[in-house]
Amino acid sequence: MADQSYAEASTGELVKRALSDDDAAWEALIDRFAVRVRAVVRSHGLSPHDAQDAEQAVWSNLAEHLSRIRTPEGVGPWLATTTQRECGRIRRLARRALPAAPERLHAVDHRSPEEIAVAAERDRLVRGAIAA
């Protein structure tokens, strides 16, 4: 690969080089498949933060499992499948989470620490009285 630039190298060659801790080969793999991964993520309609999480998880999975991919030339399809699964996982988790009311996301409690402690003690006493 000395005479061949990373952009012209086969995917299999890039995988072999990446497995040998060649940072430039890793960058070339990411450059080669980033558009595909992003397109799959975008097709799932995730929020921007969830989309970023999905992409990061996919690249992390590739780093973790690269040595186990049977056919180095099959990295593209592997990434597409992994991206589909990761997006599905994130969507399932999002369905479980209860959305917070938007007005509560940035609400500021202006009470002093003493007021908060008194209110908590009062609530504890009320709960105890009800339980009794």
Side-chain angles (χ1 to χ4, degrees):
M1 190 148 140
D3 300 324
Q4 193 178 30
S5 76
Y6 286 98
E8 297 168 349
S10 71
T11 300
E13 183 63 28
L14 289 176
V15 167
K16 288 177 191 171
R17 303 279 307 212
L19 287 170
S20 300
D21 294 328
D22 183 335
D23 292 338
W26 271 110
E27 290 297 321
L29 275 172
I30 292 169
D31 289 345
R32 185 169 292 180
F33 295 106
V35 171
R36 181 183 299 185
V37 168
R38 194 165 294 121
V40 173
V41 169
R42 201 172 302 130
S43 74
H44 282 271
L46 299 175
S47 73
H49 294 291
D50 286 344
Q52 287 176 344
D53 288 348
E55 285 187 48
Q56 289 174 357
V58 167
W59 295 118
S60 176
N61 283 335
L62 179 62
E64 185 178 338
H65 299 288
L66 187 62
S67 64
R68 291 187 246 162
I69 296 175
R70 290 184 205 133
T71 310
E73 292 294 334
V75 167
W78 186 92
L79 282 168
T81 301
T82 300
T83 305
Q84 290 279 356
R85 289 178 180 160
E86 185 61 27
C87 290
R89 186 187 72 78
I90 289 173
R91 289 183 74 174
R92 283 189 304 279
L93 288 174
R95 282 194 297 260
R96 290 184 201 164
L98 296 175
E103 61 274 3
R104 294 199 55 183
L105 292 176
H106 300 290
V108 176
D109 190 347
H110 295 287
R111 298 179 296 171
S112 69
E114 292 81 15
E115 290 171 318
I116 293 170
V118 168
E121 178 64 17
R122 182 196 64 232
D123 293 347
R124 186 187 67 76
L125 290 171
V126 169
R127 282 192 297 277
I130 291 171

